[in-house]
Amino acid sequence: MNPMREPTHTRCAISSCGWCDRDGLDCRFCSGTGWWRPERPHRDASGIIVWLRVDEPCRGCAGTGKEHSPTVAI
Ligand SMILES: [Zn+2]
Ligand SMILES: [Zn+2]
């Protein structure tokens, strides 16, 4: 079972964001899903470190799934 996640936002917090106005450019961090799945270390009851996957809204695109490259001026 692997339900498709929808982007959490259609636009980011910037009111006139040139990246949000674009289409067809998926975020390189989350491949356009708006979510990323980092692994977090967690120490279980016996003291063993295990890695747990967590779902978080993508920070690269503010959950929009659209590429928001900060290195390119608009
Ligand atoms: Zn934006
Ligand atoms: Zn993203």
Side-chain angles (χ1 to χ4, degrees):
M1 206 173 117
N2 185 19
M4 281 291 287
R5 281 297 194 63
E6 293 293 322
T8 55
H9 298 99
T10 54
R11 298 185 65 91
C12 67
I14 304 169
S15 57
S16 59
C17 176
W19 293 104
C20 286
D21 289 336
R22 298 187 183 197
D23 269 329
L25 205 57
D26 287 344
C27 171
R28 77 189 117 109
F29 297 104
C30 64
S31 304
T33 63
W35 291 87
W36 70 318
R37 305 191 67 203
E39 288 186 329
R40 289 265 175 79
H42 170 78
R43 188 187 299 270
D44 73 6
S46 57
I48 297 172
I49 301 291
V50 295
W51 291 85
L52 300 177
R53 281 206 178 278
V54 293
D55 284 350
E56 287 187 3
C58 177
R59 294 174 194 175
C61 62
T64 62
K66 296 174 183 175
E67 176 64 60
H68 277 65
S69 173
T71 61
V72 180
I74 302 173

